Amino acid sequence: MKKPLIHNIWHGLKTLFVGRARDLGDEKIFQKISLIAFFAWIGLGADGLSSTCYGPEESFLVLGAHLHLGILVALATALTIIVISSSYMHIIEAFPSGGGGYLVASQLLSPTVGMVSGCALLVDYVLTISLSIASGTDAIFSFLPFEYQGYKALVATGGVCLLMLMNLRGVKESVLPLIPIFMLFVCTHVFVILYAIFTHIPIAHEVSGVAVGSLKSTHSTLGLVGMLLLALRAYSMSAGTYTGIEAVSNAIPMLREPRVETARKTMRYMAISLAVMAVGIMMAYILYKVESQVGKTMNAVMLETLSAGWHSTNARIFIMITLFSEAAILFIAAQTGFMGGPRVLANMALDKWVPTSFAMLSDRLVTHNGIILMGGAAIVLILTTGSSVRFLIVMYSMNVFITFALSQLGMVRYWWQRKKRDAKWKRKLFVNAFALLLSLFILFSVTFFKFLKGGWITLVVTGSLAFIAFHIKRYYNRTSKMLKRLDSLVEAVELEKNKETKLPPIDHKARTAVVMVNGFNGLGLHTLFAIIRMFGGSFRNFIFVHVGIVDAGNFKGKEEMENMEDHIKQQLNRYTRYVNGLGFHAEGFLAIGTDVIDEVETLALKIGKSYPNMVFFGGQLAFKEETILNRLLHNQIVFATQRRLYHLGLPFVILPIRV
C-alpha cells in the first residue's frame, strides 16, 4: 500500500527543513535533547544579557543631565538581580519538575491566580521575542545609511521566522549555532567594561571628584527627596533587565539530569553575568558621559566615544564587530521566548486553560504548536508597531513583574507553612519576602509611568487572554461533566460477572473489528457496545488499538515513559478480558508516539497481516450544537485517521457519541 504523493512531498519538505523524526525507543533520547548548564545559559541567559543593550539606556534617558545618579541605579540593579535570582533558586528547589511562576501561583495560591500569572508570562514572552528582534534590527541599522530604516520591520520578521524554524528542529539544535555569537558578545562587552574602568584608573581621583560634585549639584537642584525619586524612576524603567530570570524555573524539563543542580548552576551563570554586564555598561555610560543621539543606540555612542583615540580603521572594525554581537545576541534573546513561552502554554494546556493541542509534541519532541503561536504573535506585533523599540519597550517588562510578585507571594506562604519542617525557613522566607517587595515596587512604578504611554495595552491584552482562558476552562469542565455520564458503563462492566466461556479457535480470516480506544473508559465501551448492537455477531474478532501520546506532561524521563506503557497494557487487558467473557477473540495492540495518525497507520499495516478482513471503528463526540469552541478545543483525529486509512484502502467507520 503506497502512501499518497502529497503525503510523501510534505514529509520530504518537513524532513529537509525541520529534520527527521526522533526515535522514542532510543534509551539515550533524553540525554541527547537535554541541555547542560552552559547551553542553558546561552539559550535562557541571552534575554538578560541582551537587556544591557536597552535597559541601561532607558534608565539614563530618564536621568537626563543628572548622569551620576546612575551609580545608585547600577547598585540597585545589581542588588535586585541577586535577590530575584536567589528567590528563584528557592522556587527551583521547591518545584524540581519545573513550571515556574505559573505552577507556583497555581499550587500555592489558587489555579485561577496561576492562570493569570501564566497569561502574563505568555504576553511577556511574546514581547521578549518582539522587542529582542526589533532591538537587534536597530543595532544592525545603527551603522547602515538612514534611508534603509524602512526595511527594519521586514528584517525583523525574517529574524522571527528563522528562529521559529530553528526551534521546530529542536531545543538543542536551536542553541548550538548560537554559541559563537553569544561568546563574541560576552568577550567584546567584557573588554569594553574593563577598558572603560582601567583607562580611567589613572584619573580616578578626578572622576570621583566630578561624581561627588555632580551628586551635590543634583541634591541642591532637586533636593534629597527629588533626587531619590528620580533615581527610583530610572531604576524602575530598567525593569526589562530582570526579564528572563524566571525562564530557568520554567525550562527545568529541558535540562540535563540532575535537573535541579543543572538549573541552579544555570541560574548562577545568569545572575553573575547579568549583574556584571548591567553594572559595567552603566558605569561606562557615566565614565564617558554618554548622551543620546538620533538614529543611534547609546551603546553605539558609547563605543564611538571609547574608541575615539584609536586608529580610525581599528575603531570602526571594533565598533562594527561589537554592534554586530549586540544585534546577534538580541536575536538570540528571542530564544528565551521560544523556549519559555511554549513551555508555559503546555503547562496551561495540561490544566485545560488553553487548547490541549498546545501540550502536544512534534516528532522532533518540541511543543511545535506553542512555537508557531509565539512566533506568529511576535510577527503580528512587529508589523503593527513598525518594529518600534520605543513603543515595544513601553509595553514590555510590566507583565513579568506580575508573575514575579505572584511567585514570591506564593513562596512566602510556602515557607511559612513549612516553618516546622525546614530549619532554614526564616532565611528563605526573608529572601522571597524581599523579592516580593522589590517586585511590587517595580510593578507599581512601571505601571504608573508606562500606563498612559501605551502600557495599558499590555494589561488589556493580558486581561483579554485571561478572560479567554477562563471560558476555555469552563467549557472543558462542562464537557468533562457530560462525559462522566458515560463512565457509568465502566461501573456496569465491572459489576457484570461474565461466565467462563469456551472460546472458539481463532479464525484470522473472520471479520475483525479494530476499535480505537484511549483507555478503559465510557468512550471506548460506548463504541464497543455500539458495534455489537449494530452488527450483532458478524464480528468474531475484536482488536483494541491504544496509542499513548507523548506530550509535555509525560515526556520527563525513561521511567515516566515505561509507566505510561504499563498503564496502557493494563487498560487493554481489561478490554480483552471483558470481550473474551462475551465469547469473542480479543487482542490489544499499543504504540507510543507523538502522532496518533502515523502510529495507527503503522499498527493497521501490522494487524492487516494477521487479520485481512478487518474494519476500523472510532468514536467521535457529537454535540447538540456545533460551535467554534467544539471545533477548536476537540481534536479531529478520528476524521483524519479515517482519511489516512481510506488512502490505504482500509474501511473505517465513525460512530457518534452524543453528549
Side-chain angles (χ1 to χ4, degrees), residues 18-75:
V18 178
R20 295 183 180 277
R22 295 190 183 277
D23 181 12
L24 282 169
D26 185 352
E27 294 184 355
K28 296 183 178 180
I29 186 64
F30 293 97
Q31 182 178 356
K32 289 179 179 179
I33 66 174
S34 60
L35 300 174
I36 61 174
F38 178 73
F39 292 159
W41 174 46
I42 294 171
L44 300 170
D47 183 20
L49 287 182
S50 70
S51 66
T52 59
C53 300
Y54 53 81
E57 180 171 348
E58 288 300 305
S59 293
F60 278 81
L61 287 175
V62 172
L63 293 176
H66 309 288
L67 195 66
H68 286 83
L69 277 179
I71 298 172
L72 299 179
V73 176
L75 294 175

Short mmCIF file of all heavy atoms in Angstrom, two decimals, residues 18-75:
data_model
loop_
_atom_site.label_atom_id
_atom_site.label_comp_id
_atom_site.label_asym_id
_atom_site.label_seq_id
_atom_site.Cartn_x
_atom_site.Cartn_y
_atom_site.Cartn_z
N VAL A 18 12.96 20.77 8.91
CA VAL A 18 12.82 20.57 10.36
C VAL A 18 13.67 19.41 10.85
O VAL A 18 14.16 19.43 11.99
CB VAL A 18 11.33 20.34 10.72
CG1 VAL A 18 11.17 20.08 12.21
CG2 VAL A 18 10.49 21.54 10.30
N GLY A 19 13.89 18.40 10.01
CA GLY A 19 14.71 17.27 10.43
C GLY A 19 13.90 15.99 10.54
O GLY A 19 12.66 16.00 10.54
N ARG A 20 14.60 14.88 10.62
CA ARG A 20 13.95 13.58 10.74
C ARG A 20 13.32 13.40 12.12
O ARG A 20 13.76 14.01 13.09
CB ARG A 20 14.96 12.45 10.50
CG ARG A 20 15.54 12.43 9.09
CD ARG A 20 16.47 11.24 8.89
NE ARG A 20 17.02 11.22 7.55
CZ ARG A 20 16.38 10.71 6.50
NH1 ARG A 20 15.18 10.18 6.66
NH2 ARG A 20 16.94 10.73 5.30
N ALA A 21 12.31 12.56 12.15
CA ALA A 21 11.64 12.27 13.42
C ALA A 21 12.62 11.61 14.38
O ALA A 21 13.48 10.81 13.98
CB ALA A 21 10.44 11.36 13.18
N ARG A 22 12.52 11.94 15.66
CA ARG A 22 13.38 11.33 16.67
C ARG A 22 12.83 9.97 17.07
O ARG A 22 11.62 9.73 17.04
CB ARG A 22 13.49 12.23 17.90
CG ARG A 22 14.19 13.55 17.61
CD ARG A 22 14.48 14.27 18.92
NE ARG A 22 15.07 15.58 18.71
CZ ARG A 22 16.36 15.81 18.49
NH1 ARG A 22 17.20 14.79 18.42
NH2 ARG A 22 16.82 17.03 18.33
N ASP A 23 13.71 9.10 17.49
CA ASP A 23 13.34 7.74 17.87
C ASP A 23 13.05 7.68 19.37
O ASP A 23 13.96 7.81 20.20
CB ASP A 23 14.48 6.78 17.51
CG ASP A 23 14.15 5.34 17.87
OD1 ASP A 23 12.97 5.06 18.18
OD2 ASP A 23 15.08 4.50 17.85
N LEU A 24 11.78 7.50 19.72
CA LEU A 24 11.41 7.43 21.14
C LEU A 24 11.95 6.17 21.79
O LEU A 24 12.02 6.09 23.02
CB LEU A 24 9.88 7.47 21.27
CG LEU A 24 9.25 8.86 21.12
CD1 LEU A 24 7.74 8.74 21.01
CD2 LEU A 24 9.64 9.75 22.28
N GLY A 25 12.32 5.18 20.98
CA GLY A 25 12.86 3.94 21.53
C GLY A 25 14.34 4.05 21.91
O GLY A 25 14.89 3.15 22.55
N ASP A 26 14.96 5.16 21.55
CA ASP A 26 16.37 5.37 21.88
C ASP A 26 16.51 5.61 23.38
O ASP A 26 15.94 6.55 23.93
CB ASP A 26 16.89 6.57 21.09
CG ASP A 26 18.39 6.78 21.28
OD1 ASP A 26 19.00 6.09 22.12
OD2 ASP A 26 18.95 7.65 20.59
N GLU A 27 17.27 4.77 24.07
CA GLU A 27 17.42 4.88 25.52
C GLU A 27 18.13 6.16 25.93
O GLU A 27 18.01 6.62 27.06
CB GLU A 27 18.18 3.67 26.07
CG GLU A 27 17.40 2.36 25.92
CD GLU A 27 18.14 1.19 26.56
OE1 GLU A 27 19.28 1.40 27.03
OE2 GLU A 27 17.58 0.08 26.59
N LYS A 28 18.90 6.74 25.00
CA LYS A 28 19.64 7.96 25.33
C LYS A 28 18.95 9.22 24.80
O LYS A 28 19.56 10.28 24.74
CB LYS A 28 21.06 7.87 24.75
CG LYS A 28 21.89 6.76 25.35
CD LYS A 28 23.30 6.76 24.78
CE LYS A 28 24.15 5.67 25.41
NZ LYS A 28 25.54 5.67 24.85
N ILE A 29 17.66 9.10 24.42
CA ILE A 29 16.97 10.22 23.80
C ILE A 29 16.92 11.43 24.72
O ILE A 29 17.09 12.57 24.28
CB ILE A 29 15.54 9.80 23.36
CG1 ILE A 29 14.88 10.93 22.58
CG2 ILE A 29 14.70 9.39 24.55
CD1 ILE A 29 15.53 11.26 21.30
N PHE A 30 16.68 11.22 26.03
CA PHE A 30 16.57 12.35 26.95
C PHE A 30 17.91 13.06 27.13
O PHE A 30 17.96 14.28 27.28
CB PHE A 30 16.04 11.87 28.31
CG PHE A 30 14.62 11.38 28.25
CD1 PHE A 30 14.34 10.04 28.13
CD2 PHE A 30 13.57 12.28 28.29
CE1 PHE A 30 13.03 9.59 28.05
CE2 PHE A 30 12.26 11.85 28.22
CZ PHE A 30 11.99 10.50 28.10
N GLN A 31 18.99 12.29 27.09
CA GLN A 31 20.32 12.89 27.20
C GLN A 31 20.66 13.68 25.94
O GLN A 31 21.27 14.74 26.01
CB GLN A 31 21.37 11.81 27.45
CG GLN A 31 22.78 12.36 27.62
CD GLN A 31 23.79 11.27 27.92
OE1 GLN A 31 23.43 10.10 28.06
NE2 GLN A 31 25.05 11.63 28.01
N LYS A 32 20.22 13.17 24.80
CA LYS A 32 20.56 13.80 23.53
C LYS A 32 19.88 15.16 23.35
O LYS A 32 20.44 16.06 22.72
CB LYS A 32 20.19 12.87 22.36
CG LYS A 32 21.09 11.66 22.24
CD LYS A 32 20.65 10.78 21.08
CE LYS A 32 21.57 9.57 20.93
NZ LYS A 32 21.13 8.68 19.82
N ILE A 33 18.67 15.30 23.85
CA ILE A 33 17.93 16.54 23.60
C ILE A 33 17.97 17.51 24.78
O ILE A 33 17.51 18.65 24.66
CB ILE A 33 16.45 16.25 23.25
CG1 ILE A 33 15.71 15.65 24.45
CG2 ILE A 33 16.35 15.35 22.05
CD1 ILE A 33 14.23 15.47 24.21
N SER A 34 18.51 17.08 25.93
CA SER A 34 18.55 17.97 27.10
C SER A 34 19.75 18.90 27.03
O SER A 34 20.70 18.68 26.27
CB SER A 34 18.59 17.15 28.39
OG SER A 34 19.74 16.33 28.42
N LEU A 35 19.72 19.94 27.85
CA LEU A 35 20.76 20.97 27.85
C LEU A 35 21.59 20.92 29.11
O LEU A 35 21.05 20.85 30.22
CB LEU A 35 20.12 22.36 27.73
CG LEU A 35 19.27 22.66 26.50
CD1 LEU A 35 18.61 24.03 26.64
CD2 LEU A 35 20.10 22.59 25.23
N ILE A 36 22.91 20.98 28.97
CA ILE A 36 23.78 21.17 30.13
C ILE A 36 23.69 22.64 30.53
O ILE A 36 23.13 23.47 29.81
CB ILE A 36 25.23 20.76 29.81
CG1 ILE A 36 25.81 21.63 28.68
CG2 ILE A 36 25.32 19.28 29.48
CD1 ILE A 36 27.28 21.39 28.42
N ALA A 37 24.24 22.98 31.69
CA ALA A 37 24.10 24.34 32.24
C ALA A 37 24.65 25.40 31.28
O ALA A 37 24.04 26.47 31.13
CB ALA A 37 24.80 24.43 33.59
N PHE A 38 25.77 25.12 30.64
CA PHE A 38 26.38 26.11 29.74
C PHE A 38 25.46 26.43 28.57
O PHE A 38 25.23 27.60 28.24
CB PHE A 38 27.72 25.58 29.22
CG PHE A 38 28.41 26.50 28.26
CD1 PHE A 38 29.00 27.68 28.70
CD2 PHE A 38 28.46 26.20 26.90
CE1 PHE A 38 29.63 28.54 27.80
CE2 PHE A 38 29.09 27.05 26.01
CZ PHE A 38 29.68 28.22 26.47
N PHE A 39 24.88 25.38 27.94
CA PHE A 39 23.97 25.60 26.82
C PHE A 39 22.69 26.29 27.29
O PHE A 39 22.13 27.14 26.58
CB PHE A 39 23.62 24.27 26.14
CG PHE A 39 24.78 23.63 25.43
CD1 PHE A 39 24.79 22.28 25.14
CD2 PHE A 39 25.88 24.39 25.04
CE1 PHE A 39 25.85 21.69 24.48
CE2 PHE A 39 26.95 23.81 24.37
CZ PHE A 39 26.93 22.45 24.09
N ALA A 40 22.21 25.92 28.47
CA ALA A 40 21.01 26.55 29.02
C ALA A 40 21.27 28.03 29.29
O ALA A 40 20.38 28.88 29.09
CB ALA A 40 20.57 25.84 30.30
N TRP A 41 22.46 28.35 29.76
CA TRP A 41 22.84 29.74 30.00
C TRP A 41 22.76 30.55 28.71
O TRP A 41 22.27 31.68 28.69
CB TRP A 41 24.25 29.79 30.58
CG TRP A 41 24.83 31.16 30.74
CD1 TRP A 41 24.22 32.26 31.28
CD2 TRP A 41 26.14 31.59 30.37
NE1 TRP A 41 25.08 33.34 31.27
CE2 TRP A 41 26.26 32.95 30.71
CE3 TRP A 41 27.23 30.94 29.79
CZ2 TRP A 41 27.43 33.68 30.49
CZ3 TRP A 41 28.39 31.65 29.56
CH2 TRP A 41 28.49 33.01 29.92
N ILE A 42 23.19 29.94 27.61
CA ILE A 42 23.15 30.62 26.32
C ILE A 42 21.70 30.78 25.85
O ILE A 42 21.28 31.86 25.44
CB ILE A 42 23.97 29.84 25.27
CG1 ILE A 42 25.46 29.87 25.65
CG2 ILE A 42 23.75 30.42 23.87
CD1 ILE A 42 26.33 28.98 24.81
N GLY A 43 20.93 29.69 25.93
CA GLY A 43 19.56 29.73 25.43
C GLY A 43 18.64 30.59 26.27
O GLY A 43 17.74 31.25 25.74
N LEU A 44 18.85 30.58 27.60
CA LEU A 44 17.95 31.30 28.51
C LEU A 44 18.55 32.61 29.01
O LEU A 44 17.82 33.56 29.30
CB LEU A 44 17.60 30.41 29.71
CG LEU A 44 16.89 29.09 29.37
CD1 LEU A 44 16.82 28.20 30.61
CD2 LEU A 44 15.50 29.36 28.83
N GLY A 45 19.86 32.65 29.14
CA GLY A 45 20.50 33.84 29.71
C GLY A 45 20.69 34.98 28.74
O GLY A 45 20.93 36.11 29.16
N ALA A 46 20.55 34.68 27.45
CA ALA A 46 20.74 35.74 26.46
C ALA A 46 19.72 36.86 26.63
O ALA A 46 19.99 38.02 26.33
CB ALA A 46 20.65 35.17 25.05
N ASP A 47 18.52 36.51 27.11
CA ASP A 47 17.49 37.53 27.31
C ASP A 47 17.96 38.58 28.31
O ASP A 47 17.83 39.79 28.07
CB ASP A 47 16.21 36.86 27.82
CG ASP A 47 15.07 37.85 27.97
OD1 ASP A 47 15.13 38.94 27.37
OD2 ASP A 47 14.11 37.54 28.71
N GLY A 48 18.52 38.12 29.43
CA GLY A 48 19.01 39.06 30.42
C GLY A 48 20.21 39.86 29.92
O GLY A 48 20.23 41.09 30.04
N LEU A 49 21.19 39.18 29.35
CA LEU A 49 22.39 39.87 28.87
C LEU A 49 22.06 40.87 27.76
O LEU A 49 22.62 41.96 27.71
CB LEU A 49 23.41 38.85 28.36
CG LEU A 49 24.15 38.01 29.42
CD1 LEU A 49 25.16 37.10 28.75
CD2 LEU A 49 24.83 38.91 30.43
N SER A 50 21.12 40.48 26.91
CA SER A 50 20.77 41.38 25.81
C SER A 50 20.10 42.65 26.32
O SER A 50 20.10 43.68 25.63
CB SER A 50 19.84 40.67 24.82
OG SER A 50 18.57 40.47 25.42
N SER A 51 19.49 42.57 27.51
CA SER A 51 18.80 43.75 28.04
C SER A 51 19.78 44.88 28.33
O SER A 51 19.38 46.04 28.47
CB SER A 51 18.03 43.40 29.31
OG SER A 51 18.91 43.03 30.35
N THR A 52 21.08 44.57 28.42
CA THR A 52 22.07 45.63 28.62
C THR A 52 22.20 46.50 27.37
O THR A 52 22.85 47.54 27.40
CB THR A 52 23.45 45.03 28.96
OG1 THR A 52 23.87 44.16 27.90
CG2 THR A 52 23.38 44.23 30.25
N CYS A 53 21.57 46.06 26.27
CA CYS A 53 21.59 46.87 25.05
C CYS A 53 20.50 47.93 25.07
O CYS A 53 20.53 48.85 24.24
CB CYS A 53 21.41 45.98 23.82
SG CYS A 53 22.68 44.71 23.63
N TYR A 54 19.52 47.79 25.96
CA TYR A 54 18.46 48.81 26.01
C TYR A 54 18.03 49.17 27.43
O TYR A 54 17.54 50.27 27.67
CB TYR A 54 17.22 48.35 25.22
CG TYR A 54 16.69 46.99 25.61
CD1 TYR A 54 15.88 46.81 26.72
CD2 TYR A 54 16.98 45.86 24.84
CE1 TYR A 54 15.38 45.58 27.07
CE2 TYR A 54 16.49 44.62 25.19
CZ TYR A 54 15.69 44.47 26.30
OH TYR A 54 15.21 43.24 26.64
N GLY A 55 18.23 48.27 28.43
CA GLY A 55 17.83 48.56 29.80
C GLY A 55 18.56 49.76 30.39
O GLY A 55 17.91 50.72 30.86
N PRO A 56 19.91 49.78 30.40
CA PRO A 56 20.63 50.95 30.91
C PRO A 56 20.28 52.22 30.15
O PRO A 56 20.21 53.31 30.73
CB PRO A 56 22.10 50.56 30.70
CG PRO A 56 22.10 49.07 30.72
CD PRO A 56 20.82 48.67 30.06
N GLU A 57 20.04 52.11 28.84
CA GLU A 57 19.68 53.28 28.05
C GLU A 57 18.39 53.90 28.54
O GLU A 57 18.28 55.13 28.65
CB GLU A 57 19.55 52.88 26.57
CG GLU A 57 19.17 54.05 25.67
CD GLU A 57 19.25 53.67 24.20
OE1 GLU A 57 19.81 52.61 23.88
OE2 GLU A 57 18.76 54.46 23.37
N GLU A 58 17.40 53.06 28.87
CA GLU A 58 16.12 53.57 29.37
C GLU A 58 16.33 54.34 30.68
O GLU A 58 15.71 55.37 30.92
CB GLU A 58 15.14 52.42 29.57
CG GLU A 58 14.61 51.83 28.29
CD GLU A 58 13.86 52.86 27.46
OE1 GLU A 58 12.91 53.48 27.97
OE2 GLU A 58 14.23 53.05 26.29
N SER A 59 17.19 53.80 31.55
CA SER A 59 17.46 54.46 32.83
C SER A 59 18.11 55.82 32.61
O SER A 59 17.72 56.83 33.21
CB SER A 59 18.37 53.59 33.69
OG SER A 59 17.70 52.41 34.08
N PHE A 60 19.10 55.85 31.74
CA PHE A 60 19.87 57.08 31.56
C PHE A 60 19.10 58.14 30.79
O PHE A 60 19.36 59.33 30.93
CB PHE A 60 21.21 56.76 30.89
CG PHE A 60 22.23 56.29 31.88
CD1 PHE A 60 22.24 54.96 32.31
CD2 PHE A 60 23.16 57.16 32.41
CE1 PHE A 60 23.16 54.52 33.23
CE2 PHE A 60 24.09 56.72 33.34
CZ PHE A 60 24.09 55.40 33.77
N LEU A 61 18.14 57.73 29.98
CA LEU A 61 17.29 58.72 29.32
C LEU A 61 16.42 59.44 30.35
O LEU A 61 16.10 60.62 30.21
CB LEU A 61 16.40 58.03 28.28
CG LEU A 61 17.12 57.56 27.00
CD1 LEU A 61 16.16 56.79 26.11
CD2 LEU A 61 17.72 58.74 26.24
N VAL A 62 16.04 58.72 31.41
CA VAL A 62 15.25 59.32 32.49
C VAL A 62 16.12 60.28 33.31
O VAL A 62 15.67 61.36 33.70
CB VAL A 62 14.66 58.23 33.41
CG1 VAL A 62 14.00 58.85 34.65
CG2 VAL A 62 13.64 57.39 32.65
N LEU A 63 17.38 59.91 33.54
CA LEU A 63 18.27 60.73 34.38
C LEU A 63 18.62 62.06 33.73
O LEU A 63 18.84 63.07 34.41
CB LEU A 63 19.55 59.95 34.69
CG LEU A 63 19.39 58.72 35.58
CD1 LEU A 63 20.72 58.00 35.71
CD2 LEU A 63 18.84 59.09 36.95
N GLY A 64 18.68 62.07 32.41
CA GLY A 64 18.99 63.32 31.71
C GLY A 64 20.36 63.86 32.10
O GLY A 64 21.38 63.17 32.02
N ALA A 65 20.40 65.11 32.56
CA ALA A 65 21.66 65.76 32.92
C ALA A 65 22.24 65.23 34.22
O ALA A 65 23.43 65.43 34.50
CB ALA A 65 21.45 67.27 33.01
N HIS A 66 21.42 64.56 35.03
CA HIS A 66 21.88 64.05 36.33
C HIS A 66 22.48 62.65 36.16
O HIS A 66 22.04 61.68 36.79
CB HIS A 66 20.72 64.04 37.32
CG HIS A 66 20.00 65.35 37.39
ND1 HIS A 66 20.54 66.47 37.97
CD2 HIS A 66 18.76 65.71 36.93
CE1 HIS A 66 19.68 67.48 37.89
NE2 HIS A 66 18.59 67.04 37.26
N LEU A 67 23.48 62.58 35.31
CA LEU A 67 24.04 61.30 34.88
C LEU A 67 24.60 60.48 36.03
O LEU A 67 24.46 59.25 36.05
CB LEU A 67 25.14 61.57 33.84
CG LEU A 67 25.61 60.37 33.02
CD1 LEU A 67 24.50 59.86 32.13
CD2 LEU A 67 26.82 60.77 32.16
N HIS A 68 25.21 61.12 37.01
CA HIS A 68 25.91 60.38 38.05
C HIS A 68 24.97 59.70 39.05
O HIS A 68 25.43 58.91 39.89
CB HIS A 68 26.90 61.30 38.78
CG HIS A 68 28.12 61.59 37.94
ND1 HIS A 68 28.13 62.59 36.99
CD2 HIS A 68 29.35 61.00 37.90
CE1 HIS A 68 29.33 62.61 36.41
NE2 HIS A 68 30.08 61.67 36.94
N LEU A 69 23.68 60.00 38.97
CA LEU A 69 22.73 59.21 39.76
C LEU A 69 22.69 57.76 39.28
O LEU A 69 22.18 56.88 39.96
CB LEU A 69 21.32 59.82 39.65
CG LEU A 69 21.00 61.00 40.58
CD1 LEU A 69 19.58 61.49 40.32
CD2 LEU A 69 21.16 60.59 42.03
N GLY A 70 23.24 57.55 38.09
CA GLY A 70 23.32 56.20 37.55
C GLY A 70 24.11 55.26 38.44
O GLY A 70 23.94 54.04 38.37
N ILE A 71 25.00 55.81 39.28
CA ILE A 71 25.75 54.96 40.21
C ILE A 71 24.79 54.27 41.17
O ILE A 71 24.89 53.06 41.42
CB ILE A 71 26.78 55.81 40.99
CG1 ILE A 71 27.79 56.43 40.03
CG2 ILE A 71 27.48 54.97 42.05
CD1 ILE A 71 28.72 57.43 40.68
N LEU A 72 23.84 55.04 41.71
CA LEU A 72 22.84 54.46 42.61
C LEU A 72 21.96 53.45 41.88
O LEU A 72 21.63 52.39 42.42
CB LEU A 72 21.97 55.58 43.22
CG LEU A 72 22.68 56.64 44.05
CD1 LEU A 72 21.68 57.68 44.55
CD2 LEU A 72 23.41 55.99 45.23
N VAL A 73 21.59 53.79 40.65
CA VAL A 73 20.75 52.89 39.84
C VAL A 73 21.50 51.58 39.56
O VAL A 73 20.91 50.49 39.66
CB VAL A 73 20.35 53.56 38.52
CG1 VAL A 73 19.56 52.59 37.64
CG2 VAL A 73 19.52 54.81 38.79
N ALA A 74 22.78 51.68 39.26
CA ALA A 74 23.58 50.49 38.97
C ALA A 74 23.66 49.57 40.18
O ALA A 74 23.49 48.34 40.07
CB ALA A 74 24.98 50.89 38.52
N LEU A 75 23.91 50.14 41.35
CA LEU A 75 23.99 49.34 42.58
C LEU A 75 22.65 48.70 42.90
O LEU A 75 22.57 47.53 43.30
CB LEU A 75 24.46 50.21 43.74
CG LEU A 75 25.89 50.76 43.63
CD1 LEU A 75 26.19 51.70 44.78
CD2 LEU A 75 26.90 49.61 43.60
#
